[in-house]
Amino acid sequence: MTRTALDRLITPRSIAIVGASSDPTKLTGRPLAYLDGYRYPHPVYPINPREQMIGDRRCYPDPTSLPEAPDVALVLVGSDRVIDAVKQLSARGTAAAIILAGGFGESGPEGVQRQRELIEAAGSMRLLGPNTIGLINLTDGIPLSASATLEGETLRAGNVALISQSGGILGSLLSRAAARGLGFSKLIATGNEADLDVAAVLDHLVDDPATRVIALYLEGLRRPLAFRHAAQRAARAGKPIVVFKVGRSDAGVRAAMSHTGALAGSDAAYDALFRQYGIIRAERFSDLLDLPLALSCGRRLAGRRLAIVTSTGGAAGLVADAAGLTGFATPAPDAATTQVLTELGVAGAILDSNPIDLTLAGAKPTVFRSVIAQVLDSPGYDAVAVVLGSSSANDPDRAIQPLLDCAGTSTKPIIAYVSPDAPLIVRKLNEAGIPAFAAPESCAAALAAMWFAQHAIATETREALAEPSRDNAEIAIDLNPGPLNEAESKALFAKFGLPVTREIVADTPEAAETAAQTFGGNVVVKILSRAVLHKTEAGGVALDVPPHAAAATCARMARMFTSATAQAPEGFLVQEQVEGGVELILGLARDPQLGPCVLLGMGGVATELFRDTAMRLVPVSRHDAETMIGELKSAPLLNGFRGRPIADTDALADAIVAFSHMIERLSDRLSEAEINPLFVLPKGRGVVAADAVVVV
C-alpha cells in the first residue's frame, strides 16, 4: 500500500533535523534528544554545517548531501533561513517538512509575502506550519517537536487525537492530560496552516486505527467545505469530534486573527456548523479534556437514567443537580433493585432513594463493590456515577478498587466524581478507563457528550451534506444588480417553490382600489420601492384596509413615504391579508468565512428584540430544517401552545429547504434575501411569504 505524504509526516521511517544542535538544553537540541528518549528505531539525519558529529550520528552540511530523501524534516532554523532549507528539502524529495519558526503570515504584510515564498519553495512537499510546535505521535513513540512538555517521563499513549491551531495550547493540554492520566494517540499543531490545515489533518485521522476520539482547539477555518466533508466522514466512522472554538467575544476574535492570521468567523455560524455536523462543542476550556476523556472509554449510553452511589451526601447532591440540568434523570431504584440492596444488610445506608447514600455505613470497599455491582445490574439505570468522599484520599488504592472490580462486569458507563482534591485518584481511575472528574459540572458535561455521541451524531450527520438542488438547476434567472422591489422579490421566491401571498401591482392609488375589489375582503396595501426595502418605519405599509378605502390609503401613504425618505414610490402593492398564522423570519446570513447560512427565527416587528433564531450552513437538508424549527424558543407556538392550532411545520421545513436551494442556485449573486414575516398557517394550510427583501 502506497504511503501518502501525511502517512510519512506522522509515521516517518526517516527523519532529518535541519539546524540540529548537540546541546539538548537548547531548543534546537531537544528534538534529537526526545527521539532518542522514545527510542525511535529508524534513521535520523542531523543537518548542521558547523558540526561533524552529534553524538554517534554523522551530521550533514545541508539537505542535498543526505544519503536518502527523508520522510519528514523538522526545520529548526530562523525564518530568514527557512525558505532556502525548504527549497533544498523539496529538491531532495522530502515528503513533508515541519516549520517551527514564526514571522510568517501571522506577522503582517511582510510575513504574508514570506509565507507565499515558503509555499512556492516547498513545491510538492507538504508543510506543517510555519509557526507550529510540531507533532507528537504517541501511538508509535515519535516526537517531532521541541516542546518542553516532552521533558521528563515518557507520555502515555491513548486513543484521543488532538489537533490544535495553537502550539502553546497543545503543550498546555498535553501537560494537563498527562497529570490526569489521559493518553493521546496523536497531537498535531497546525500553526499558520500555509499548507496542511485542520481539515486535512482531521480527514487523515478519521482513518487512524489508534484514534477513537478527535479533539480540536480551533481559531478559524481556511477550508470550511473540506472541514465539513472530514467531519461527516468522522461521524460515519463513529469517531466523535469535540471542539473548543475560541472567538466568542470580539476580543477573542481579534486575538485569534492576530495569532495565526486566520479569520475567526461569527460564533453563530460556527455554532450552526457544529450542530449541523454532529460536532460536540466544548463550552469551557476544561471540557476539551473532560469530554474526550469520557468518550474515549468506548462505553455506550443507552438512556439518561443515572444512578449516583456516594460516600458523601453533599457532593452527591452537586452531581445530581448538575446532571439534572443537562437532561439526566435520577430515579429511585425500582422495587426489585431496592430489595436486592436491602438484602445486602448494609446498616445505616439509604438504599431506596437516589443518590444511594452509604455515608453512615462507612466507605468499606466490600460495601461499595456490592452496591455498585447491583446498581449496574439494574435495568432501571443506564449509567452510574460514583462519588468518592474525603476519606478516599487517605487510601486511594482501597477507595478505587471497587470501581475497578465492577467496571469489568458491565458495559454501562461508570464515571467518578472525586470530591476531595485527590489528583492521584483521578489519574489512576482515568488510566484504568474509568472517567474521573474533579468537578460535578464536568461529570454532567461528560455524560451529556456521551449521550450526544451515541444518539445524536448519526442522526445529525445522516443528511448533513445535502445534495445540490437538481430540480432548480434549469430555472431561468435574469436579475439586474441591486435591490428588487417586493413584488420582484416574491416572484423570485415563487420560482423556487416558496409560497407567496396573492397580490396585484398597481401604478396609481385608483388602480390599487380597483385591484382591492377583487380580493373579497380587507387587504394589505404597501408602497413599492427598490430604494427603501424596510417600508414599515417609513409609513409604507397599511393593514386591514377596506377595499373602498384603498385609494385614499395609498395617497396618504405616498405622502408620508416621500416625506420620510425623500423617495417617490414606484407604485403600490395590494395583497391578501393573511390571518391566523405564526410569524417567522426566514433569511440569508452570509458569514465571511463559512459562507452562506439560512436563518430562521421569530418574525414580525419583534425579530430584533427577542433574537430567537436558529441557523444552518447551506445546503440545508430536510433533517437540518426540522431541527432548526425545534431549536426555536418560540417553537411551542407552532405546536399548539395554549390552545393555538398546530402549525404546518412540514410546509415550513419544505420552505426552509427551498430557500436554501435558491441560495445555492444564485450563489454569490445573492447579497441579501429575507422573508419577514413568513406566516406558518394551521396544519394542512401551508406557509406564505407576506413580505420579501432581495438584493442582487
Side-chain angles (χ1 to χ4, degrees), residues 466 598 617-621 655-665:
V598 173
L617 276 63
V618 172
V620 176
S621 71
I656 295 168
V657 173
F659 194 81
S660 171
H661 287 168
M662 179 189 68
I663 297 170
E664 264 189 287
R665 174 71 168 80

Side-chain angles (χ1 to χ4, degrees), residues 606-641:
T607 295
E608 295 181 6
L609 177 63
F610 293 108
R611 297 187 180 277
D612 176 19
T613 60
M615 186 186 290
R616 291 293 185 276
L617 276 63
V618 172
V620 176
S621 71
R622 174 74 185 205
H623 173 70
D624 292 331
E626 291 168 352
T627 56
M628 288 173 74
I629 296 167
E631 286 171 16
L632 296 177
K633 298 183 185 73
S634 49
L637 297 176
L638 300 168
N639 299 323
F641 181 73

Side-chain angles (χ1 to χ4, degrees), residues 473-636:
E474 302 304 320
I475 294 175
I477 306 294
D478 184 17
L479 299 171
N480 293 320
L484 308 184
N485 66 31
E486 182 179 337
E488 294 166 336
S489 299
K490 286 180 178 171
L492 175 64
F493 292 157
K495 283 187 176 184
F496 288 89
L498 286 152
V500 300
T501 49
R502 293 182 297 119
E503 56 195 32
I504 299 172
V505 175
D507 295 331
T508 64
E510 293 73 23
E513 186 158 316
T514 300
Q517 305 293 334
T518 68
F519 282 89
N522 290 359
V523 295
V524 177
V525 179
K526 299 178 181 179
I527 294 290
L528 271 184
S529 173
R530 293 178 182 83
V532 180
L533 300 180
H534 300 283
K535 303 175 289 293
T536 303
E537 293 87 347
V541 178
L543 306 177
D544 205 23
V545 177
H548 67 269
T553 300
C554 286
R556 183 175 64 255
M557 286 171 54
R559 291 192 297 271
M560 293 174 58
F561 182 81
T562 301
S563 174
T565 67
Q567 299 285 335
E570 299 169 15
F572 305 93
L573 188 65
V574 182
Q575 69 180 52
E576 66 175 323
Q577 182 151 305
V578 182
E579 305 282 359
V582 178
E583 295 184 42
L584 298 180
I585 181 174
L586 183 62
L588 162 66
R590 194 175 289 280
D591 185 81
Q593 188 181 47
L594 300 183
C597 306
V598 173
L599 180 142
L600 177 72
M602 177 185 287
V605 295
T607 295
E608 295 181 6
L609 177 63
F610 293 108
R611 297 187 180 277
D612 176 19
T613 60
M615 186 186 290
R616 291 293 185 276
L617 276 63
V618 172
V620 176
S621 71
R622 174 74 185 205
H623 173 70
D624 292 331
E626 291 168 352
T627 56
M628 288 173 74
I629 296 167
E631 286 171 16
L632 296 177
K633 298 183 185 73
S634 49

Side-chain angles (χ1 to χ4, degrees), residues 137-206:
N137 175 352
L138 286 172
T139 305
D140 302 292
I142 308 174
L144 293 170
S145 173
S147 173
T149 57
L150 287 163
E151 299 284 352
E153 63 180 294
T154 300
L155 297 169
R156 179 172 171 267
N159 56 25
V160 176
L162 172 64
I163 309 170
S164 175
Q165 290 179 317
S166 164
I169 293 296
L170 183 143
S172 168
L173 290 169
L174 178 57
S175 60
R176 291 166 187 250
R180 294 182 51 187
L182 172 62
F184 288 106
S185 57
K186 315 291 188 297
L187 301 104
I188 303 173
T190 57
N192 286 11
E193 300 182 348
D195 173 22
L196 293 170
D197 61 358
V198 164
V201 177
L202 173 63
D203 192 62
H204 181 82
L205 290 173
V206 170

Side-chain angles (χ1 to χ4, degrees), residues 122-493:
S124 61
M125 182 176 70
R126 305 308 303 265
L127 295 177
L128 182 66
N131 190 29
T132 177
I133 204 169
L135 70 88
I136 305 166
N137 175 352
L138 286 172
T139 305
D140 302 292
I142 308 174
L144 293 170
S145 173
S147 173
T149 57
L150 287 163
E151 299 284 352
E153 63 180 294
T154 300
L155 297 169
R156 179 172 171 267
N159 56 25
V160 176
L162 172 64
I163 309 170
S164 175
Q165 290 179 317
S166 164
I169 293 296
L170 183 143
S172 168
L173 290 169
L174 178 57
S175 60
R176 291 166 187 250
R180 294 182 51 187
L182 172 62
F184 288 106
S185 57
K186 315 291 188 297
L187 301 104
I188 303 173
T190 57
N192 286 11
E193 300 182 348
D195 173 22
L196 293 170
D197 61 358
V198 164
V201 177
L202 173 63
D203 192 62
H204 181 82
L205 290 173
V206 170
D207 299 318
D208 178 24
T211 295
R212 177 180 286 167
V213 183
I214 302 170
L216 303 178
Y217 177 84
L218 197 61
E219 296 177 346
L221 288 174
R222 287 172 170 81
R223 296 188 303 141
L225 187 58
F227 179 86
R228 291 161 71 173
H229 279 280
Q232 191 175 42
R233 287 191 65 232
R236 287 173 174 166
K239 296 188 177 184
I241 301 172
V242 179
V243 174
F244 183 82
K245 169 66 174 67
V246 72
R248 288 193 158 185
S249 67
D250 290 343
V253 169
R254 289 193 299 272
M257 289 177 65
S258 65
H259 182 218
T260 63
L263 286 173
S266 74
D267 191 66
Y270 270 98
D271 217 36
L273 168 66
F274 300 151
R275 287 175 184 268
Q276 198 162 351
Y277 289 88
I279 294 169
I280 302 167
R281 183 163 194 172
E283 296 295 326
R284 303 166 300 176
F285 183 59
S286 59
D287 289 342
L288 193 52
L289 291 181
D290 290 339
L291 305 190
L293 175 67
L295 296 167
S296 68
C297 71
R299 293 180 177 249
R300 299 172 66 86
L301 185 58
R304 291 200 273 189
R305 299 168 302 171
L306 177 68
I308 302 173
V309 179
T310 183
S311 63
T312 171
L318 295 176
V319 174
D321 198 38
L325 291 173
T326 56
F328 281 80
T330 52
D334 57 48
T337 303
T338 300
Q339 178 65 30
V340 172
L341 292 174
T342 302
E343 290 173 356
L344 294 175
V346 183
I350 302 173
L351 303 174
D352 58 353
S353 64
N354 192 6
I356 298 166
D357 193 348
L358 306 178
T359 303
L360 295 179
K364 296 179 180 178
T366 53
V367 172
F368 241 58
R369 182 183 301 108
S370 299
V371 172
I372 294 170
Q374 294 301 329
V375 171
L376 280 170
D377 195 46
S378 169
Y381 296 116
D382 305 299
V384 177
V386 178
V387 181
L388 299 179
S390 298
S391 60
S392 61
N394 298 326
D395 191 347
D397 291 332
R398 186 169 180 266
I400 68 176
Q401 193 59 49
L403 283 79
L404 303 182
D405 293 341
C406 293
T409 67
S410 173
T411 59
K412 293 179 182 179
I414 307 175
I415 67 169
Y417 168 43
V418 183
S419 180
D421 182 22
L424 179 61
I425 294 178
V426 171
R427 177 171 181 166
K428 286 192 171 188
L429 286 170
N430 287 333
E431 288 178 343
I434 299 174
F437 307 98
E441 296 82 6
S442 298
C443 295
L447 288 166
M450 294 172 77
W451 171 258
F452 185 78
Q454 180 63 37
H455 295 274
I457 289 179
T459 302
E460 292 288 341
T461 57
R462 185 177 58 237
E463 299 179 272
L465 284 177
E467 288 292 323
S469 172
R470 296 181 180 87
D471 293 341
N472 296 330
E474 302 304 320
I475 294 175
I477 306 294
D478 184 17
L479 299 171
N480 293 320
L484 308 184
N485 66 31
E486 182 179 337
E488 294 166 336
S489 299
K490 286 180 178 171
L492 175 64
F493 292 157

